[in-house]
PDB file of all heavy atoms in Angstrom:
ATOM      1  N   THR B 274     -69.633 111.673   2.729  1.00 83.00           N
ATOM      2  CA  THR B 274     -70.061 110.273   3.112  1.00 83.00           C
ATOM      3  C   THR B 274     -69.759 109.982   4.431  1.00 83.00           C
ATOM      4  O   THR B 274     -68.985 110.609   5.019  1.00 83.00           O
ATOM      5  CB  THR B 274     -69.283 109.240   2.189  1.00 83.00           C
ATOM      6  OG1 THR B 274     -67.871 109.374   2.445  1.00 83.00           O
ATOM      7  CG2 THR B 274     -69.599 109.492   0.763  1.00 83.00           C
ATOM      8  N   SER B 275     -70.450 109.033   5.049  1.00 82.00           N
ATOM      9  CA  SER B 275     -70.225 108.510   6.352  1.00 82.00           C
ATOM     10  C   SER B 275     -70.468 107.022   6.424  1.00 82.00           C
ATOM     11  O   SER B 275     -71.026 106.392   5.509  1.00 82.00           O
ATOM     12  CB  SER B 275     -71.030 109.306   7.341  1.00 82.00           C
ATOM     13  OG  SER B 275     -72.354 109.103   7.061  1.00 82.00           O
ATOM     14  N   GLY B 276     -69.992 106.483   7.559  1.00 83.00           N
ATOM     15  CA  GLY B 276     -70.218 105.055   7.647  1.00 83.00           C
ATOM     16  C   GLY B 276     -69.240 104.225   6.816  1.00 83.00           C
ATOM     17  O   GLY B 276     -68.300 104.743   6.230  1.00 83.00           O
ATOM     18  N   PRO B 277     -69.393 102.861   6.847  1.00 85.00           N
ATOM     19  CA  PRO B 277     -68.352 101.996   6.216  1.00 85.00           C
ATOM     20  C   PRO B 277     -68.556 102.108   4.726  1.00 85.00           C
ATOM     21  O   PRO B 277     -69.620 102.260   4.317  1.00 85.00           O
ATOM     22  CB  PRO B 277     -68.679 100.728   6.835  1.00 85.00           C
ATOM     23  CG  PRO B 277     -70.186 100.800   7.277  1.00 85.00           C
ATOM     24  CD  PRO B 277     -70.442 102.080   7.570  1.00 85.00           C
ATOM     25  N   ALA B 278     -67.493 101.767   3.939  1.00 86.00           N
ATOM     26  CA  ALA B 278     -67.489 101.752   2.525  1.00 86.00           C
ATOM     27  C   ALA B 278     -67.917 100.242   2.170  1.00 86.00           C
ATOM     28  O   ALA B 278     -67.654  99.345   2.795  1.00 86.00           O
ATOM     29  CB  ALA B 278     -66.266 102.039   1.869  1.00 86.00           C
ATOM     30  N   THR B 279     -68.580 100.278   0.854  1.00 87.00           N
ATOM     31  CA  THR B 279     -68.906  98.890   0.365  1.00 87.00           C
ATOM     32  C   THR B 279     -68.133  98.731  -0.874  1.00 87.00           C
ATOM     33  O   THR B 279     -68.221  99.697  -1.790  1.00 87.00           O
ATOM     34  CB  THR B 279     -70.434  98.833   0.183  1.00 87.00           C
ATOM     35  OG1 THR B 279     -71.063  99.202   1.289  1.00 87.00           O
ATOM     36  CG2 THR B 279     -70.794  97.466  -0.450  1.00 87.00           C
ATOM     37  N   SER B 330     -68.759 102.309  -2.776  1.00 88.00           N
ATOM     38  CA  SER B 330     -69.801 103.153  -2.537  1.00 88.00           C
ATOM     39  C   SER B 330     -70.085 103.365  -0.948  1.00 88.00           C
ATOM     40  O   SER B 330     -69.625 102.343  -0.226  1.00 88.00           O
ATOM     41  CB  SER B 330     -71.117 102.548  -3.144  1.00 88.00           C
ATOM     42  OG  SER B 330     -70.966 102.683  -4.598  1.00 88.00           O
ATOM     43  N   TYR B 331     -70.677 104.401  -0.624  1.00 88.00           N
ATOM     44  CA  TYR B 331     -71.141 104.659   0.687  1.00 88.00           C
ATOM     45  C   TYR B 331     -72.657 104.669   0.806  1.00 88.00           C
ATOM     46  O   TYR B 331     -73.252 105.347   0.018  1.00 88.00           O
ATOM     47  CB  TYR B 331     -70.518 105.864   1.402  1.00 88.00           C
ATOM     48  CG  TYR B 331     -68.994 105.848   1.484  1.00 88.00           C
ATOM     49  CD1 TYR B 331     -68.132 106.075   0.515  1.00 88.00           C
ATOM     50  CD2 TYR B 331     -68.579 105.441   2.781  1.00 88.00           C
ATOM     51  CE1 TYR B 331     -66.879 105.927   0.667  1.00 88.00           C
ATOM     52  CE2 TYR B 331     -67.106 105.262   3.034  1.00 88.00           C
ATOM     53  CZ  TYR B 331     -66.261 105.608   1.915  1.00 88.00           C
ATOM     54  OH  TYR B 331     -65.022 105.333   1.981  1.00 88.00           O
ATOM     55  N   LEU B 332     -73.187 103.902   1.699  1.00 85.00           N
ATOM     56  CA  LEU B 332     -74.743 103.864   1.824  1.00 85.00           C
ATOM     57  C   LEU B 332     -75.256 105.110   2.518  1.00 85.00           C
ATOM     58  O   LEU B 332     -76.385 105.478   2.291  1.00 85.00           O
ATOM     59  CB  LEU B 332     -75.074 102.559   2.471  1.00 85.00           C
ATOM     60  CG  LEU B 332     -74.605 101.249   1.732  1.00 85.00           C
ATOM     61  CD1 LEU B 332     -74.992 100.125   2.658  1.00 85.00           C
ATOM     62  CD2 LEU B 332     -75.250 101.216   0.340  1.00 85.00           C
ATOM     63  N   HIS B 333     -74.493 105.728   3.382  1.00 86.00           N
ATOM     64  CA  HIS B 333     -74.862 106.932   4.160  1.00 86.00           C
ATOM     65  C   HIS B 333     -74.083 108.075   3.378  1.00 86.00           C
ATOM     66  O   HIS B 333     -72.805 108.048   3.392  1.00 86.00           O
ATOM     67  CB  HIS B 333     -74.559 106.695   5.496  1.00 86.00           C
ATOM     68  CG  HIS B 333     -75.117 105.540   6.157  1.00 86.00           C
ATOM     69  ND1 HIS B 333     -76.553 105.441   6.490  1.00 86.00           N
ATOM     70  CD2 HIS B 333     -74.682 104.275   6.376  1.00 86.00           C
ATOM     71  CE1 HIS B 333     -76.913 104.286   6.931  1.00 86.00           C
ATOM     72  NE2 HIS B 333     -75.742 103.676   6.924  1.00 86.00           N
TER      73      HIS B 333
END
Side-chain angles (χ1 to χ4, degrees):
Chain B
T274 59
S275 56
T279 304
S330 295
Y331 290 86
L332 301 175
H333 302 283

